[in-house]
Amino acid sequence: MTTAGETRGTPMAQTEAQADFPQLADPYRRELLAHCYRMLGSVHDAEDLVQETYLRAWRAYDKFEGRSSLRTWLHTIATRACLTALESRGKRPLPTGLGAPSSSASDELITQDEVPWLEPIPDTMIDGGGTADPASVVGSRESVRLAFIAALQHLPPKQRAVLILRDVLKWKAAEVAEQLELTTAAVNSALQRAHAAMGKAGLTEESVQEPDDAEQRRLLDSWMAAFEAKDMRAIVRLFTEDAVWEMPPFIGWYQGPETIGQLIDTSCPAKGPGDQRLVPTTANGQPAFGLYMIDPETGDHKAFQLQVLDIVGGRVRHCVAFFETSLFETFGLPAVLPAQR
């Protein structure tokens, strides 16, 4: 006679358990992707780690005893997989995170292609589309804002994991301690140090200011019009006084409307109205644009940069212009906009 535990461990029981796994686990895929993205700062790495998480969980599912929820178990596997991955990977910074002072618009533009730069993530990959609960969508987007992800990358991996599990997923200290094989005191200490580091980076709840829809719509319409006309006076007026512009893989970063305006005026290949076209999208819970530059020979507009905006008081406080054009495919944007006949 076999016990229930022995029955569960038979090859047939294991096969039956694994057959149930996809239906039970798939609803957590988007939030696991967001979790891995927070840990790694790369949408592509995050997708790989989610796949690894599901493979590990599927193989071990017949041994899952239900002492925690399936959601918690999956997040534990994902967190440990991310920590293992981070042992061989460096942080993913933005240019502002390299430690150099702001640049002059006349400085030479220098790239560092070997740096594993931070990547943006499309909102559509993590918010569940139109079927998601609105409150959970807001929470997910707030916890993947670009400045927050950039600051996380400067924390040691375990501090990063503790901060995310405690502050984003709202786990209790004892739960985090058990899953990360730490003491509760060590978890509390790591969280305290992480909060101090995030505070130094200027990341507090008060620093996140959401514009209202009408205010944001006006600003975004003005942004599109100004760039497509290459109207430098209009572009300069759209920035806050302390605005920052950065554009990986270029290592420089630029502060202040006049400096940013001079940079765009002198370094952007667009000569005048019609040379640039913008397509709106969203990234990291923030408004974004795919910017296309004209090909003089064909009249087509080709993928040039992906802009992610941080808006405060009806103006742009921070813009990161990503020059990795492979991101256009990630965001479901075309590589080319045909010439307008």
Short mmCIF file of all heavy atoms in Angstrom, two decimals, residues 36-83:
data_model
loop_
_atom_site.label_atom_id
_atom_site.label_comp_id
_atom_site.label_asym_id
_atom_site.label_seq_id
_atom_site.Cartn_x
_atom_site.Cartn_y
_atom_site.Cartn_z
N CYS A 36 11.39 40.50 -12.65
CA CYS A 36 12.72 40.22 -13.19
C CYS A 36 13.31 41.48 -13.84
O CYS A 36 14.52 41.72 -13.76
CB CYS A 36 12.67 39.07 -14.18
SG CYS A 36 12.30 37.46 -13.43
N TYR A 37 12.46 42.29 -14.46
CA TYR A 37 12.95 43.53 -15.06
C TYR A 37 13.48 44.48 -13.98
O TYR A 37 14.53 45.11 -14.16
CB TYR A 37 11.83 44.21 -15.85
CG TYR A 37 12.20 45.59 -16.34
CD1 TYR A 37 13.14 45.76 -17.36
CD2 TYR A 37 11.64 46.72 -15.76
CE1 TYR A 37 13.50 47.02 -17.80
CE2 TYR A 37 11.99 48.00 -16.20
CZ TYR A 37 12.92 48.15 -17.22
OH TYR A 37 13.28 49.40 -17.64
N ARG A 38 12.77 44.58 -12.86
CA ARG A 38 13.26 45.43 -11.76
C ARG A 38 14.63 44.95 -11.28
O ARG A 38 15.51 45.74 -10.97
CB ARG A 38 12.28 45.43 -10.60
CG ARG A 38 10.94 46.07 -10.90
CD ARG A 38 10.04 46.09 -9.67
NE ARG A 38 8.67 46.35 -10.05
CZ ARG A 38 7.70 45.42 -10.12
NH1 ARG A 38 7.97 44.16 -9.80
NH2 ARG A 38 6.49 45.75 -10.50
N MET A 39 14.79 43.66 -11.21
CA MET A 39 16.05 43.09 -10.73
C MET A 39 17.18 43.31 -11.74
O MET A 39 18.32 43.59 -11.35
CB MET A 39 15.88 41.60 -10.47
CG MET A 39 15.06 41.24 -9.24
SD MET A 39 15.89 41.62 -7.68
CE MET A 39 17.31 40.51 -7.75
N LEU A 40 16.90 43.19 -13.03
CA LEU A 40 17.95 43.11 -14.04
C LEU A 40 18.12 44.38 -14.88
O LEU A 40 19.18 44.60 -15.46
CB LEU A 40 17.69 41.93 -14.97
CG LEU A 40 17.62 40.56 -14.28
CD1 LEU A 40 17.06 39.52 -15.24
CD2 LEU A 40 18.99 40.14 -13.78
N GLY A 41 17.06 45.18 -15.01
CA GLY A 41 17.17 46.41 -15.80
C GLY A 41 17.19 46.19 -17.29
O GLY A 41 17.52 47.09 -18.06
N SER A 42 16.84 44.97 -17.74
CA SER A 42 16.84 44.65 -19.16
C SER A 42 15.59 43.84 -19.47
O SER A 42 15.36 42.80 -18.85
CB SER A 42 18.08 43.83 -19.53
OG SER A 42 17.91 43.17 -20.77
N VAL A 43 14.81 44.30 -20.44
CA VAL A 43 13.60 43.57 -20.80
C VAL A 43 13.94 42.23 -21.44
O VAL A 43 13.27 41.22 -21.21
CB VAL A 43 12.70 44.43 -21.73
CG1 VAL A 43 13.38 44.74 -23.03
CG2 VAL A 43 11.37 43.74 -21.98
N HIS A 44 15.03 42.18 -22.19
CA HIS A 44 15.42 40.93 -22.84
C HIS A 44 15.93 39.91 -21.82
O HIS A 44 15.57 38.73 -21.87
CB HIS A 44 16.46 41.20 -23.92
CG HIS A 44 15.97 42.12 -24.99
ND1 HIS A 44 16.34 43.45 -25.07
CD2 HIS A 44 15.10 41.91 -26.01
CE1 HIS A 44 15.73 44.01 -26.11
NE2 HIS A 44 14.98 43.11 -26.69
N ASP A 45 16.77 40.36 -20.89
CA ASP A 45 17.23 39.46 -19.82
C ASP A 45 16.06 39.00 -18.96
O ASP A 45 16.01 37.85 -18.52
CB ASP A 45 18.27 40.16 -18.95
CG ASP A 45 19.61 40.33 -19.66
OD1 ASP A 45 19.77 39.80 -20.77
OD2 ASP A 45 20.49 41.01 -19.10
N ALA A 46 15.14 39.92 -18.70
CA ALA A 46 13.97 39.57 -17.88
C ALA A 46 13.14 38.48 -18.54
O ALA A 46 12.68 37.54 -17.87
CB ALA A 46 13.12 40.81 -17.62
N GLU A 47 12.93 38.58 -19.84
CA GLU A 47 12.18 37.54 -20.55
C GLU A 47 12.88 36.18 -20.44
O GLU A 47 12.23 35.15 -20.22
CB GLU A 47 12.02 37.93 -22.02
CG GLU A 47 11.03 39.06 -22.26
CD GLU A 47 10.88 39.39 -23.73
OE1 GLU A 47 11.89 39.65 -24.39
OE2 GLU A 47 9.73 39.37 -24.22
N ASP A 48 14.21 36.18 -20.56
CA ASP A 48 14.96 34.93 -20.43
C ASP A 48 14.80 34.33 -19.03
O ASP A 48 14.63 33.12 -18.88
CB ASP A 48 16.44 35.17 -20.72
CG ASP A 48 16.72 35.46 -22.19
OD1 ASP A 48 15.84 35.18 -23.03
OD2 ASP A 48 17.81 35.98 -22.48
N LEU A 49 14.85 35.18 -18.00
CA LEU A 49 14.76 34.69 -16.64
C LEU A 49 13.35 34.22 -16.29
O LEU A 49 13.18 33.29 -15.50
CB LEU A 49 15.23 35.76 -15.65
CG LEU A 49 16.71 35.69 -15.25
CD1 LEU A 49 16.99 34.45 -14.42
CD2 LEU A 49 17.64 35.73 -16.46
N VAL A 50 12.34 34.83 -16.88
CA VAL A 50 10.97 34.34 -16.68
C VAL A 50 10.84 32.95 -17.28
O VAL A 50 10.24 32.04 -16.67
CB VAL A 50 9.94 35.31 -17.29
CG1 VAL A 50 8.55 34.68 -17.32
CG2 VAL A 50 9.90 36.59 -16.48
N GLN A 51 11.39 32.75 -18.47
CA GLN A 51 11.36 31.42 -19.08
C GLN A 51 12.08 30.41 -18.19
O GLN A 51 11.59 29.28 -17.99
CB GLN A 51 12.01 31.46 -20.46
CG GLN A 51 11.20 32.19 -21.51
CD GLN A 51 9.83 31.55 -21.73
OE1 GLN A 51 8.80 32.08 -21.31
NE2 GLN A 51 9.83 30.38 -22.35
N GLU A 52 13.22 30.80 -17.65
CA GLU A 52 13.96 29.90 -16.76
C GLU A 52 13.15 29.61 -15.49
O GLU A 52 13.14 28.47 -15.00
CB GLU A 52 15.31 30.53 -16.40
CG GLU A 52 16.17 29.62 -15.53
CD GLU A 52 17.56 30.19 -15.27
OE1 GLU A 52 18.04 31.01 -16.08
OE2 GLU A 52 18.16 29.81 -14.25
N THR A 53 12.47 30.63 -14.97
CA THR A 53 11.64 30.44 -13.79
C THR A 53 10.55 29.41 -14.03
O THR A 53 10.33 28.51 -13.22
CB THR A 53 11.01 31.79 -13.36
OG1 THR A 53 12.04 32.69 -12.97
CG2 THR A 53 10.02 31.61 -12.22
N TYR A 54 9.87 29.55 -15.16
CA TYR A 54 8.78 28.62 -15.46
C TYR A 54 9.31 27.20 -15.70
O TYR A 54 8.67 26.22 -15.32
CB TYR A 54 7.98 29.11 -16.67
CG TYR A 54 6.88 30.06 -16.26
CD1 TYR A 54 7.13 31.41 -16.07
CD2 TYR A 54 5.59 29.59 -16.01
CE1 TYR A 54 6.12 32.28 -15.67
CE2 TYR A 54 4.58 30.44 -15.61
CZ TYR A 54 4.85 31.79 -15.44
OH TYR A 54 3.86 32.63 -15.01
N LEU A 55 10.48 27.09 -16.30
CA LEU A 55 11.05 25.76 -16.51
C LEU A 55 11.40 25.12 -15.17
O LEU A 55 11.10 23.93 -14.94
CB LEU A 55 12.29 25.86 -17.41
CG LEU A 55 13.00 24.54 -17.74
CD1 LEU A 55 12.04 23.58 -18.44
CD2 LEU A 55 14.24 24.80 -18.59
N ARG A 56 12.05 25.89 -14.30
CA ARG A 56 12.41 25.35 -12.98
C ARG A 56 11.16 24.96 -12.20
O ARG A 56 11.12 23.90 -11.55
CB ARG A 56 13.20 26.39 -12.17
CG ARG A 56 14.60 26.69 -12.67
CD ARG A 56 15.30 27.62 -11.70
NE ARG A 56 16.60 28.06 -12.19
CZ ARG A 56 17.45 28.80 -11.48
NH1 ARG A 56 17.13 29.18 -10.25
NH2 ARG A 56 18.61 29.15 -11.98
N ALA A 57 10.15 25.83 -12.25
CA ALA A 57 8.92 25.56 -11.50
C ALA A 57 8.18 24.35 -12.05
O ALA A 57 7.66 23.53 -11.29
CB ALA A 57 8.02 26.80 -11.52
N TRP A 58 8.14 24.22 -13.36
CA TRP A 58 7.46 23.08 -13.98
C TRP A 58 8.12 21.76 -13.57
O TRP A 58 7.45 20.79 -13.23
CB TRP A 58 7.50 23.24 -15.50
CG TRP A 58 6.88 22.09 -16.25
CD1 TRP A 58 5.56 21.80 -16.41
CD2 TRP A 58 7.60 21.06 -16.95
NE1 TRP A 58 5.40 20.66 -17.16
CE2 TRP A 58 6.63 20.18 -17.50
CE3 TRP A 58 8.96 20.79 -17.15
CZ2 TRP A 58 6.98 19.07 -18.24
CZ3 TRP A 58 9.31 19.68 -17.90
CH2 TRP A 58 8.33 18.84 -18.44
N ARG A 59 9.46 21.77 -13.57
CA ARG A 59 10.18 20.56 -13.20
C ARG A 59 9.95 20.18 -11.74
O ARG A 59 9.94 19.00 -11.39
CB ARG A 59 11.68 20.75 -13.45
CG ARG A 59 12.06 20.72 -14.93
CD ARG A 59 13.52 21.11 -15.11
NE ARG A 59 13.95 20.95 -16.50
CZ ARG A 59 15.10 21.42 -16.97
NH1 ARG A 59 15.91 22.10 -16.18
NH2 ARG A 59 15.43 21.23 -18.24
N ALA A 60 9.76 21.19 -10.89
CA ALA A 60 9.64 20.93 -9.44
C ALA A 60 8.20 20.95 -8.95
O ALA A 60 7.96 20.79 -7.75
CB ALA A 60 10.45 21.97 -8.68
N TYR A 61 7.24 21.13 -9.86
CA TYR A 61 5.86 21.39 -9.41
C TYR A 61 5.26 20.22 -8.63
O TYR A 61 4.46 20.42 -7.72
CB TYR A 61 4.97 21.73 -10.61
CG TYR A 61 3.57 22.13 -10.19
CD1 TYR A 61 3.36 23.23 -9.36
CD2 TYR A 61 2.46 21.40 -10.61
CE1 TYR A 61 2.10 23.61 -8.97
CE2 TYR A 61 1.19 21.77 -10.22
CZ TYR A 61 1.01 22.87 -9.40
OH TYR A 61 -0.25 23.24 -8.99
N ASP A 62 5.64 19.00 -8.97
CA ASP A 62 5.08 17.86 -8.23
C ASP A 62 5.53 17.84 -6.78
O ASP A 62 4.92 17.18 -5.95
CB ASP A 62 5.47 16.54 -8.91
CG ASP A 62 6.97 16.30 -8.87
OD1 ASP A 62 7.73 17.21 -9.28
OD2 ASP A 62 7.38 15.22 -8.41
N LYS A 63 6.59 18.62 -6.45
CA LYS A 63 7.07 18.70 -5.08
C LYS A 63 6.56 19.94 -4.35
O LYS A 63 6.87 20.15 -3.17
CB LYS A 63 8.60 18.69 -5.07
CG LYS A 63 9.23 17.45 -5.69
CD LYS A 63 10.74 17.52 -5.65
CE LYS A 63 11.37 16.29 -6.31
NZ LYS A 63 11.10 16.24 -7.76
N PHE A 64 5.82 20.78 -5.06
CA PHE A 64 5.25 21.98 -4.43
C PHE A 64 4.20 21.58 -3.40
O PHE A 64 3.20 20.95 -3.74
CB PHE A 64 4.63 22.88 -5.50
CG PHE A 64 3.91 24.09 -4.96
CD1 PHE A 64 4.55 24.99 -4.14
CD2 PHE A 64 2.57 24.31 -5.28
CE1 PHE A 64 3.88 26.11 -3.65
CE2 PHE A 64 1.90 25.41 -4.79
CZ PHE A 64 2.56 26.31 -3.97
N GLU A 65 4.44 21.91 -2.15
CA GLU A 65 3.59 21.44 -1.05
C GLU A 65 2.52 22.43 -0.64
O GLU A 65 1.72 22.15 0.24
CB GLU A 65 4.47 21.10 0.16
CG GLU A 65 5.48 19.98 -0.12
CD GLU A 65 6.41 19.72 1.06
OE1 GLU A 65 6.37 20.52 2.02
OE2 GLU A 65 7.16 18.73 1.00
N GLY A 66 2.49 23.59 -1.24
CA GLY A 66 1.45 24.56 -0.93
C GLY A 66 1.62 25.27 0.40
O GLY A 66 0.67 25.85 0.93
N ARG A 67 2.86 25.26 0.96
CA ARG A 67 3.06 25.98 2.22
C ARG A 67 3.00 27.50 2.01
O ARG A 67 2.73 28.24 2.93
CB ARG A 67 4.41 25.59 2.84
CG ARG A 67 4.43 24.16 3.39
CD ARG A 67 5.71 23.90 4.14
NE ARG A 67 6.87 23.99 3.26
CZ ARG A 67 8.12 23.99 3.69
NH1 ARG A 67 8.38 23.94 5.00
NH2 ARG A 67 9.12 24.05 2.83
N SER A 68 3.26 27.93 0.80
CA SER A 68 3.04 29.32 0.41
C SER A 68 2.12 29.29 -0.80
O SER A 68 1.83 28.23 -1.35
CB SER A 68 4.38 29.99 0.05
OG SER A 68 4.94 29.39 -1.09
N SER A 69 1.69 30.48 -1.24
CA SER A 69 0.87 30.53 -2.45
C SER A 69 1.74 30.23 -3.66
O SER A 69 2.97 30.36 -3.62
CB SER A 69 0.24 31.91 -2.59
OG SER A 69 1.24 32.88 -2.86
N LEU A 70 1.10 29.83 -4.76
CA LEU A 70 1.84 29.59 -6.00
C LEU A 70 2.54 30.87 -6.44
O LEU A 70 3.68 30.83 -6.92
CB LEU A 70 0.89 29.09 -7.09
CG LEU A 70 1.51 28.81 -8.45
CD1 LEU A 70 2.57 27.72 -8.35
CD2 LEU A 70 0.44 28.42 -9.48
N ARG A 71 1.87 32.00 -6.27
CA ARG A 71 2.47 33.29 -6.65
C ARG A 71 3.77 33.52 -5.88
O ARG A 71 4.79 33.90 -6.47
CB ARG A 71 1.47 34.41 -6.37
CG ARG A 71 2.01 35.81 -6.63
CD ARG A 71 0.91 36.85 -6.39
NE ARG A 71 1.38 38.20 -6.64
CZ ARG A 71 1.86 39.01 -5.69
NH1 ARG A 71 1.91 38.58 -4.43
NH2 ARG A 71 2.27 40.23 -6.00
N THR A 72 3.75 33.33 -4.57
CA THR A 72 4.94 33.53 -3.75
C THR A 72 6.04 32.56 -4.16
O THR A 72 7.22 32.93 -4.26
CB THR A 72 4.61 33.34 -2.26
OG1 THR A 72 3.65 34.34 -1.87
CG2 THR A 72 5.85 33.47 -1.39
N TRP A 73 5.67 31.31 -4.41
CA TRP A 73 6.65 30.30 -4.81
C TRP A 73 7.32 30.68 -6.12
O TRP A 73 8.55 30.59 -6.26
CB TRP A 73 5.94 28.95 -4.93
CG TRP A 73 6.81 27.77 -5.20
CD1 TRP A 73 7.83 27.30 -4.42
CD2 TRP A 73 6.75 26.91 -6.35
NE1 TRP A 73 8.40 26.18 -5.00
CE2 TRP A 73 7.75 25.91 -6.19
CE3 TRP A 73 5.93 26.86 -7.48
CZ2 TRP A 73 7.96 24.90 -7.11
CZ3 TRP A 73 6.13 25.84 -8.41
CH2 TRP A 73 7.14 24.88 -8.23
N LEU A 74 6.54 31.14 -7.09
CA LEU A 74 7.11 31.55 -8.38
C LEU A 74 8.03 32.76 -8.23
O LEU A 74 9.09 32.82 -8.85
CB LEU A 74 5.98 31.85 -9.37
CG LEU A 74 5.18 30.65 -9.87
CD1 LEU A 74 3.95 31.12 -10.65
CD2 LEU A 74 6.04 29.73 -10.73
N HIS A 75 7.60 33.72 -7.42
CA HIS A 75 8.46 34.89 -7.20
C HIS A 75 9.76 34.51 -6.50
O HIS A 75 10.82 35.12 -6.77
CB HIS A 75 7.71 35.96 -6.39
CG HIS A 75 6.88 36.87 -7.24
ND1 HIS A 75 5.58 36.59 -7.57
CD2 HIS A 75 7.17 38.06 -7.82
CE1 HIS A 75 5.09 37.57 -8.32
NE2 HIS A 75 6.05 38.46 -8.50
N THR A 76 9.70 33.53 -5.61
CA THR A 76 10.92 33.08 -4.94
C THR A 76 11.88 32.45 -5.95
O THR A 76 13.09 32.75 -5.95
CB THR A 76 10.58 32.04 -3.84
OG1 THR A 76 9.72 32.66 -2.87
CG2 THR A 76 11.84 31.54 -3.15
N ILE A 77 11.36 31.60 -6.82
CA ILE A 77 12.20 30.98 -7.85
C ILE A 77 12.79 32.06 -8.76
O ILE A 77 13.98 32.03 -9.09
CB ILE A 77 11.38 29.97 -8.66
CG1 ILE A 77 10.94 28.80 -7.77
CG2 ILE A 77 12.19 29.44 -9.85
CD1 ILE A 77 9.97 27.85 -8.45
N ALA A 78 11.96 33.02 -9.16
CA ALA A 78 12.42 34.09 -10.06
C ALA A 78 13.51 34.93 -9.38
O ALA A 78 14.51 35.29 -10.01
CB ALA A 78 11.25 34.97 -10.47
N THR A 79 13.31 35.26 -8.11
CA THR A 79 14.29 36.08 -7.39
C THR A 79 15.62 35.37 -7.30
O THR A 79 16.69 35.96 -7.55
CB THR A 79 13.78 36.41 -5.98
OG1 THR A 79 12.53 37.09 -6.07
CG2 THR A 79 14.78 37.30 -5.24
N ARG A 80 15.60 34.09 -6.96
CA ARG A 80 16.84 33.33 -6.85
C ARG A 80 17.52 33.20 -8.20
O ARG A 80 18.75 33.28 -8.31
CB ARG A 80 16.56 31.96 -6.24
CG ARG A 80 16.16 32.04 -4.76
CD ARG A 80 15.79 30.68 -4.20
NE ARG A 80 15.47 30.76 -2.77
CZ ARG A 80 14.99 29.75 -2.05
NH1 ARG A 80 14.76 28.57 -2.65
NH2 ARG A 80 14.75 29.88 -0.77
N ALA A 81 16.73 33.01 -9.26
CA ALA A 81 17.31 32.93 -10.60
C ALA A 81 17.97 34.26 -10.98
O ALA A 81 19.06 34.28 -11.58
CB ALA A 81 16.23 32.56 -11.61
N CYS A 82 17.34 35.36 -10.64
CA CYS A 82 17.91 36.68 -10.93
C CYS A 82 19.20 36.91 -10.15
O CYS A 82 20.18 37.45 -10.68
CB CYS A 82 16.90 37.78 -10.62
SG CYS A 82 15.53 37.88 -11.78
N LEU A 83 19.20 36.52 -8.87
CA LEU A 83 20.40 36.70 -8.06
C LEU A 83 21.56 35.88 -8.62
O LEU A 83 22.70 36.35 -8.64
CB LEU A 83 20.11 36.30 -6.61
CG LEU A 83 19.22 37.27 -5.82
CD1 LEU A 83 18.85 36.68 -4.47
CD2 LEU A 83 19.90 38.63 -5.64
#
